[in-house]
Amino acid sequence: MATSVQSAPRSRIGQWLDERLGLRGIAYPVPEHANSLPYILGGITLTGFVILFVTGIYLAQFYHPEPADAHQSVVFLITGVPLGDLVRSIHFWTAQIVTVTVLLHMLRVLFTGAYKRPREINWYVGLGLLAVTLGLVFTGSVLKFDQEGLEALQHNKEAAEVIGALGAWFSPEFSRSVPLLTRLFNGHITILPLLFGLLIAGHIFLIKQHGISPKVTPDATARSTAGEGDSHFSVHLLRMIGFGLIVFSLALVLSLIFPAPLGQPGVAGAEVTKPGWMFIWLFPTEAALGARALAIVPVVLGGLLALVPMIDRSPYLSPARRKGLLIVAGLILIVIVASGIYAALQPVSAHLE
Ligand code: HEM
């Protein structure tokens, strides 16, 4: 049988796969700017999540989510499991990197007006992804059940009491047969990853529907770019994988220099540690308002973020045309960062009631 001569000859395996998987379909056009760092931060976050899922599956084989055994099982993971310390550290550091990239991704979307019509719903799906990410970081920090984990759990119980019936799931009384720690572990490895899967599927579907938002110029307006552009999604995907390898290498180097920390087993009632950087900025408000702050501040900030597409309805993308919103957002960000720095410099003060 005669084979047709093509300009770019493909291997037989390539042809076989292409025929069955339609791989050529992923080479659809995308704008060139989609490959630049600011516009690929969401993709970098996604590759980080792949690393988290793979390393997390390994860790779950050795972690025991019983309050009496949890800390000891982490000690065993570090000292007795092949590559256990390294895999745990890569999981820890990738979680830190992913939290940074998801926040930068959100700030990029905010700064470039990428939440505007027709992308408003994807902004809300993104807010759901942010909540899931922070939920994963929080539940993950409790699991090791050292002093920091125990204190996080105590704060968790206090905040749950404040929100009453809505916080019932977080109270130890919710299920008398399964300890709260075990249920937080379930949240960490089943409920939140499942929610992540559903949300990211919706997020990617909507990005494909609308295309990436147009490049920001003084007069650019938000509109669909689906099917437009000088680059191809296959190029974009390769970039994403390249950035994913950089994230992995960074997590690996950090893990070798600074292995993930593990404190002494927790002593209930004591308050001698500080939370991770993603939560420490809540400390000053908690000191002023009590445990209420842990429930109120995230709800207020989430509510403000939810208002963004409703407030800023003009079609223009240029930051110069959206100064009011960006100044308010910048001021809130400065207050959050300043609170975090202040809390990091303060001695640990007991404010659990
Ligand atoms: C786990 C968290 C998240 C992941 C994995 C993720 C992933 C992605 C990816 C892959 C893109 C394509 C552009 C890019 O790569 O940057 C994107 C675009 C987008 N994301 Fe996210 N995202 C996450 C969280 C968020 C958050 C927190 C928001 C905002 C609240 C958000 C809102 C959007 C919007 C509006 C777009 C369209 C941007 C445009 O067209 O320019 N995402 N996201």
Side-chain angles (χ1 to χ4, degrees):
M1 211 193 292
T3 45
S4 61
V5 181
Q6 293 189 341
S7 50
R10 313 189 86 207
S11 68
R12 292 186 70 162
I13 297 177
Q15 281 180 12
W16 192 93
L17 283 172
D18 194 22
E19 189 184 343
R20 279 148 191 90
L21 299 175
L23 291 180
R24 243 167 244 236
I26 64 166
Y28 58 82
V30 297
E32 190 61 61
H33 70 274
N35 297 326
S36 65
L37 182 61
Y39 284 82
I40 210 168
L41 284 163
I44 297 176
T45 309
L46 191 54
T47 59
F49 266 91
V50 173
I51 300 172
L52 286 171
F53 283 127
V54 174
T55 48
I57 289 170
Y58 188 69
L59 298 179
Q61 309 311 310
F62 307 101
Y63 177 74
H64 196 211
E66 262 289 318
D69 300 325
H71 186 270
Q72 193 49 41
S73 73
V74 182
V75 173
F76 173 68
L77 223 162
I78 295 172
T79 54
V81 171
L83 296 179
D85 193 18
L86 185 64
V87 175
R88 174 172 179 262
S89 299
I90 292 174
H91 192 76
F92 169 84
W93 279 112
T94 307
Q96 312 287 316
I97 296 170
V98 154
T99 313
V100 173
T101 58
V102 73
L103 291 173
L104 291 177
H105 170 56
M106 185 177 76
L107 290 177
R108 189 287 285 174
V109 170
L110 189 70
F111 191 69
T112 60
Y115 50 79
K116 291 182 177 227
R117 183 179 173 188
R119 297 181 182 79
E120 305 97 317
I121 294 180
N122 221 10
W123 170 261
Y124 294 115
V125 177
L127 286 183
L129 282 167
L130 180 66
V132 167
T133 308
L134 294 176
L136 283 164
V137 175
F138 175 76
T139 48
S141 71
V142 172
L143 296 185
K144 54 191 161 74
F145 227 45
D146 58 359
Q147 188 61 36
E148 187 194 330
L150 194 70
E151 284 178 31
L153 189 62
Q154 284 171 250
H155 277 79
N156 180 105
K157 286 183 196 162
E158 292 224 343
E161 276 166 28
V162 175
I163 49 178
L166 283 177
W169 187 84
F170 292 98
S171 76
E173 292 75 31
F174 179 85
S175 165
R176 294 199 178 273
S177 50
V178 183
L180 180 55
L181 175 71
T182 313
R183 286 189 293 113
L184 287 177
F185 176 66
N186 281 341
H188 192 73
I189 68 158
T190 58
I191 304 170
L192 291 169
L194 184 70
L195 278 176
F196 176 82
L198 292 173
L199 289 168
I200 197 68
H203 209 53
I204 289 171
F205 172 75
L206 288 173
I207 297 161
K208 176 78 173 64
Q209 289 296 97
H210 303 307
I212 201 83
S213 56
K215 195 171 178 170
V216 177
T217 59
D219 294 318
T221 55
R223 58 175 179 79
S224 172
T225 63
E228 286 176 20
D230 297 334
S231 185
H232 295 102
F233 183 70
S234 40
V235 175
H236 185 72
L237 193 62
L238 281 179
R239 274 244 165 136
M240 252 170 75
I241 295 171
F243 275 115
L245 291 175
I246 295 177
V247 169
F248 181 74
S249 312
L250 183 62
L252 181 64
V253 170
L254 285 165
S255 300
L256 293 172
I257 304 173
F258 309 107
L262 177 70
Q264 293 299 315
V267 177
E271 193 168 10
V272 290
T273 70
K274 288 180 183 176
W277 61 268
M278 57 291 276
F279 300 116
I280 198 166
W281 55 275
L282 281 163
F283 251 40
T285 334
E286 193 198 351
L289 301 179
R292 269 173 303 165
L294 302 178
I296 294 170
V297 177
V299 169
V300 170
L301 281 180
L304 288 175
L305 286 169
L307 285 177
V308 166
M310 298 178 207
I311 295 172
D312 185 14
R313 291 159 67 103
S314 84
Y316 295 108
L317 300 180
S318 166
R321 290 178 180 251
R322 303 160 41 238
K323 280 192 195 123
L325 180 104
L326 292 179
I327 288 172
V328 173
L331 288 175
I332 295 176
L333 190 62
I334 289 172
V335 171
I336 292 175
V337 174
S339 297
I341 294 172
Y342 174 77
L345 298 175
Q346 289 294 101
V348 185
S349 59
H351 42 245
L352 281 171
E353 286 149 17

